Amino acid sequence: MSKIIISPSILSSDFANLGRDIRMIEKAGADWVHVDVMDGHFVPNITIGVPVVKSIRKVTGLPLDVHLMIENPRKFIKPFADAGANIITFHYEAVERTEILELSEYIKNFGLKSGLAIKPDTNPEEIIEYIGGFDMILVMTVEPGFGGQEFIKICAQKLPFFREYADEDLILQVDGGINDETARVCTRLGANSLVAGSYIFNSENVSEAIGSLR
Ligand code: DX5
Ligand code: ZN
């Protein structure tokens, strides 16, 4: 299995010191920066938008991994691409089936990686026909909307299905409730990208926390 990509979620950072916190995770060995975008419609919370991504682009060279938890993601793909995103992931549940592959192409045309995310109640079989069109599949291991929730074990059981049906170079990401123990469960089952917010930002030693996920 390839290297594990660690993508700390800045949702659990101190927004009053966002630049400082991003430099801290970069120094501590993070591979990507996970940016949770919520619109108060697709999920019951509002978080970060385009101007914030534009600002954080200036303080880090790490790839910006933008997780769109919004309705009508098409509208925001270009603005986030222009702001400096490197990976854009949207939710299967937020779009029409007929536009899924086209949206992935649209993201890739900006030179970015595309990701398709599924919520805990979505079966992996539902998206099998779309997997080949994406660089990454994001398996949510909590209900999207908030940091600090408990890992839903059964969601990790979707991972071997994707590993079996996808090309070897598919990035398989998990997001929600990831700590040193749940990370091991997920990587054993085939995940190679781990998003972790509260576990990393609430730890006393961020380098050790990131290291413990690998
Ligand atoms: C939840 C977000 C996650 C969240 C993870 O909707 O997509 O990225 O920040 O937070 P933790 O790691 O605390 O569960
Ligand atoms: Zn996320």
Side-chain angles (χ1 to χ4, degrees), residues 34 36 67 69 175 195:
H34 187 81
D36 286 306
H67 177 192
M69 285 160 276
D175 181 6
V195 175

Side-chain angles (χ1 to χ4, degrees), residues 7-12 34-38 43 45 67 69 91 138 140-151 174-179 195-200 202:
S7 193
S9 165
I10 57 170
L11 190 55
S12 293
H34 187 81
V35 182
D36 286 306
V37 177
M38 305 185 190
V43 288
N45 196 7
H67 177 192
M69 285 160 276
H91 268 267
L138 166 48
M140 290 300 301
T141 42
V142 298
E143 280 301 333
F146 301 91
Q149 302 181 79
E150 203 180 323
F151 181 76
V174 284
D175 181 6
I178 299 298
N179 56 36
V195 175
S198 50
Y199 177 69
I200 290 176
N202 295 345

Side-chain angles (χ1 to χ4, degrees), residues 27-147:
K27 226 171 123 194
D31 300 295
W32 292 354
V33 178
H34 187 81
V35 182
D36 286 306
V37 177
M38 305 185 190
D39 66 354
H41 293 278
F42 181 70
V43 288
N45 196 7
I46 297 179
T47 54
I48 297 167
V50 174
V52 175
V53 169
K54 201 171 169 187
S55 292
I56 64 183
R57 178 70 291 167
K58 296 178 197 147
V59 303
T60 182
L62 293 179
L64 301 181
D65 170 28
V66 175
H67 177 192
L68 300 180
M69 285 160 276
I70 61 174
E71 286 173 4
N72 196 7
R74 180 190 300 274
K75 192 173 164 192
F76 288 97
I77 288 169
K78 186 176 187 313
F80 278 108
D82 290 345
N86 299 89
I87 301 104
I88 294 183
T89 299
F90 63 89
H91 268 267
Y92 164 74
E93 302 86 358
V95 297
E96 298 293 330
R97 294 179 72 105
T98 48
E99 61 177 344
I100 293 175
L101 290 173
E102 183 212 323
L103 281 175
S104 176
E105 282 311 304
Y106 184 44
I107 294 169
K108 288 178 177 178
N109 281 338
F110 289 102
L112 315 184
K113 283 189 178 15
S114 67
L116 185 64
I118 54 169
K119 298 211 282 186
D121 288 342
T122 301
N123 290 321
E125 289 84 358
E126 279 185 58
I127 64 162
I128 186 165
E129 65 198 274
Y130 310 114
I131 302 173
F134 285 85
D135 298 297
M136 181 165 91
I137 297 294
L138 166 48
V139 174
M140 290 300 301
T141 42
V142 298
E143 280 301 333
F146 301 91

